[in-house]
């Protein structure tokens, strides 16, 4: 159980990325995600053959949606084939990584290559890689979180990977080069009781964990409900809290037990939507990984295929190129089906 009081009493004035800086980027992130939500929901609807259901339930019909005059809905799913063919070319099942020797002579390339391919070829990792690639084509990008389970057994089998949706990735959108990136973060919902136990907190305000693309998720956390009497996560209405897991790549972490040891970068945990408690991290520590030169190595990695020309972390969805055509094609086919039926009835 963590003692979070020492983090709230900490002086952040000399840090490059103080909590107030992170808060402003978090607010900008939430606005950016809300602005793009309808476009990404449309992409998902087209991919899952739910275009007309999306149009009806979201009130997105327009003058071009001629079939709204009838009960005839004809949908042509072009996006499924586009995404499937893209993935087949991008990540075939038999693909293998190639590792070359390090110019400085460190490590063994052959063993690293064998270990990497053994990990990537496992069925559980292969499925997760496909999931991440599929999301990166449908949406502006996605993320992956890497870690390992302590304990016994094959070390490669204890390395885990989780796919992070685009709207859960907090990125440094304003940098003009990826090497200037200052932070990365994962925004997600965790069971309230787990967060309280892990970080030594009490009576957190709970909220629901909703599907972001359904449009009901409250990113600004203003509607958290307090229910201290319900200690079990039995109801999703108040069972979760929103957590920010931030990889700070600019500030350092000094080991409290050995002050002479200073880590480059640090991991910060914020619990959001909790009033004054959310103004500072509830836990801090070193990043879980580091490069061979000691550089901070985040365990959260973005996957972006297309981006704005000046900003590498502002992703552009590959599917956005064809969505206007799909929308027009569905309207045209539905209108033609309506006209054909009217013509048939007239001749009868």
């Amino acid at each position: 159980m963590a003692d979070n009081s020492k983090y709230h009493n900490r002086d952040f004035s000399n840090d490059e990325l103080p909590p107030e800086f992170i808060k402003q980027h978090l607010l900008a992130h939430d606005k950016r995600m809300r602005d793009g939500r309808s476009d990404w929901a449309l992409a998902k609807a087209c991919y899952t053959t739910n275009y007309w259901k999306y149009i009806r339930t979201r009130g997105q019909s327009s003058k071009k949606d001629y079939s709204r005059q009838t009960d005839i809905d004809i949908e042509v799913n072009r996006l499924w084939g586009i995404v499937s063919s893209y993935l087949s070319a991008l990540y075939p099942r038999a693909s293998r990584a190639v590792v070359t020797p390090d110019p400085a002579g460190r490590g063994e390339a052959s063993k690293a290559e064998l270990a990497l391919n053994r990990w990537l070829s496992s069925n559980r990792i292969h499925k997760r890689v496909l999931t991440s690639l599929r999301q990166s084509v449908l949406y502006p990008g996605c993320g992956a979180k890497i870690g390992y389970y302590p304990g016994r057994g094959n070390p490669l089998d204890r390395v885990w990977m989780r796919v992070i949706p685009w709207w859960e990735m907090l990125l440094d959108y304003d940098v003009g080069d990826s090497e200037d990136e200052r932070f990365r973060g994962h925004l997600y919902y965790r069971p309230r009781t787990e967060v309280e136990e892990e970080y030594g907190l009490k009576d957190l305000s709970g909220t629901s964990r909703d599907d972001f693309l359904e449009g009901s998720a409250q990113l600004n956390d203003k509607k958290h409900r307090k229910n201290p009497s319900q200690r079990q996560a039995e109801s999703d209405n108040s069972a979760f809290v929103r957590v920010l897991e931030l990889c700070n790549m600019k500030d350092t972490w000094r080991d409290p037990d050995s002050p002479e040891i200073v880590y480059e970068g640090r991991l910060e945990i914020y619990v959001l939507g909790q009033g004054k408690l959310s103004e500072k991290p509830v836990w801090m520590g070193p990043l879980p990984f580091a490069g061979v030169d000691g550089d901070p190595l985040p365990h959260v990695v973005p996957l972006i295929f297309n981006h704005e020309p000046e900003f590498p972390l502002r992703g552009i969805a590959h599917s956005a190129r064809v969505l206007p055509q799909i929308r027009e094609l569905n309207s045209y086919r539905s209108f033609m089906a309506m006209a054909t039926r009217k013509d048939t009835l007239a001749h009868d």
Side-chain angles (χ1 to χ4, degrees):
M1 183 178 294
D3 178 14
N4 61 303
S5 61
K6 59 184 177 182
Y7 306 117
H8 267 250
N9 296 329
R10 180 190 175 104
D11 181 13
F12 292 92
S13 58
N14 294 325
D15 289 341
E16 291 191 47
L17 309 182
E20 184 60 30
F21 173 90
I22 300 301
K23 179 182 178 181
Q24 295 304 317
H25 278 271
L26 176 60
L27 293 174
H29 162 87
D30 286 352
K31 182 181 185 304
R32 185 186 297 270
M33 296 303 109
R34 287 194 299 268
D35 291 344
R37 173 157 47 190
S38 60
D39 293 334
W40 308 329
L42 175 61
K44 180 180 178 179
C46 291
Y47 180 74
T48 57
T49 322
N50 285 305
Y51 172 79
W52 286 118
K53 180 180 178 181
Y54 172 81
I55 293 297
R56 284 181 168 178
T57 57
R58 294 297 182 89
Q60 302 243 346
S61 57
S62 65
K63 293 181 179 179
K64 291 187 177 182
D65 297 327
Y66 304 112
S67 69
R68 297 300 89 233
Q69 305 170 22
T70 73
D71 293 328
I72 303 173
D73 292 339
I74 305 298
E75 183 171 353
V76 182
N77 193 337
R78 293 283 178 86
L79 192 55
W80 184 284
I82 292 172
V83 173
S84 298
S85 60
Y86 196 96
L87 293 183
S88 298
L90 186 64
Y91 188 60
R93 189 66 171 89
S95 62
R96 298 183 63 83
V98 177
V99 180
T100 57
D102 183 89
R106 295 168 297 190
E108 295 189 29
S110 58
K111 291 183 179 180
E113 182 176 312
L114 288 172
L116 181 58
N117 285 313
R118 160 67 173 76
W119 185 71
L120 289 173
S121 63
S122 64
N123 193 49
R124 61 188 182 90
I125 298 301
H126 180 77
K127 289 181 178 179
R128 289 181 175 87
V129 171
L130 283 177
T131 298
S132 64
L133 295 177
R134 187 177 293 109
Q135 290 190 24
S136 295
V137 175
L138 283 175
Y139 312 126
C142 77
K145 183 187 287 188
I146 306 294
Y148 61 90
Y149 297 113
R152 302 178 181 178
N154 190 323
L156 295 179
D157 292 334
R158 289 191 281 117
V159 178
W160 55 262
M161 169 187 174
R162 293 293 183 269
V163 179
I164 303 173
W166 177 248
W167 41 92
E168 292 185 3
M169 290 287 295
L170 178 65
L171 298 175
D172 195 358
Y173 300 108
D174 298 326
V175 296
D177 192 288
S178 57
E179 293 190 5
D180 298 330
E181 191 178 8
R182 297 166 292 181
F183 62 87
R184 293 178 195 168
H186 180 202
L187 286 155
Y188 63 108
Y189 288 90
R190 286 189 61 185
R192 187 186 66 228
T193 53
E194 285 186 8
V195 175
E196 289 177 343
E197 291 175 4
E198 183 170 352
Y199 300 110
L201 306 174
K202 294 182 180 180
D203 298 337
L204 294 180
S205 299
T207 188
S208 59
R209 180 176 60 180
D210 302 310
D211 185 349
F212 173 78
L213 293 184
E214 291 297 322
S216 58
Q218 298 292 331
L219 288 181
N220 55 15
D221 300 297
K222 289 183 178 179
K223 294 189 177 181
H224 279 194
R225 290 174 289 274
K226 202 147 193 171
N227 191 5
S229 62
Q230 182 183 349
R231 306 316 301 163
Q232 302 296 325
E234 296 175 351
S235 172
D236 283 355
N237 291 329
S238 60
F240 300 94
V241 294
R242 194 177 185 215
V243 175
L244 168 59
E245 191 171 322
L246 183 78
C247 298
N248 182 336
M249 292 179 280
K250 286 296 183 180
D251 298 312
T252 60
W253 170 256
R254 188 178 298 274
D255 191 330
D257 298 324
S258 303
E260 70 278 5
I261 300 178
V262 179
Y263 296 92
E264 295 295 328
R266 70 183 182 219
L267 182 62
E268 304 175 3
I269 306 296
Y270 291 80
V271 179
L272 306 178
Q274 308 296 325
K276 296 196 68 174
L277 181 65
S278 302
E279 295 178 359
K280 296 180 181 180
V282 298
W283 185 89
M284 289 191 298
L287 290 172
F289 305 112
V292 293
D293 297 323
D295 296 331
L297 188 61
H299 63 299
V300 176
V301 182
L303 179 60
I304 301 172
F305 289 143
N306 304 291
H307 57 80
E308 294 183 16
E310 306 85 2
F311 302 100
L313 297 179
R314 297 184 184 181
I316 299 175
H318 180 74
S319 63
R321 300 188 303 110
V322 297
L323 288 181
Q325 302 173 43
I326 293 174
R327 186 169 191 141
E328 191 67 21
L329 179 61
N330 288 337
S331 296
Y332 173 77
R333 290 290 181 87
S334 298
F335 177 80
M336 292 304 296
M338 177 189 68
T340 300
R341 283 161 176 75
K342 284 185 175 181
D343 186 61
T344 301
L345 291 174
H347 282 83
D348 290 343

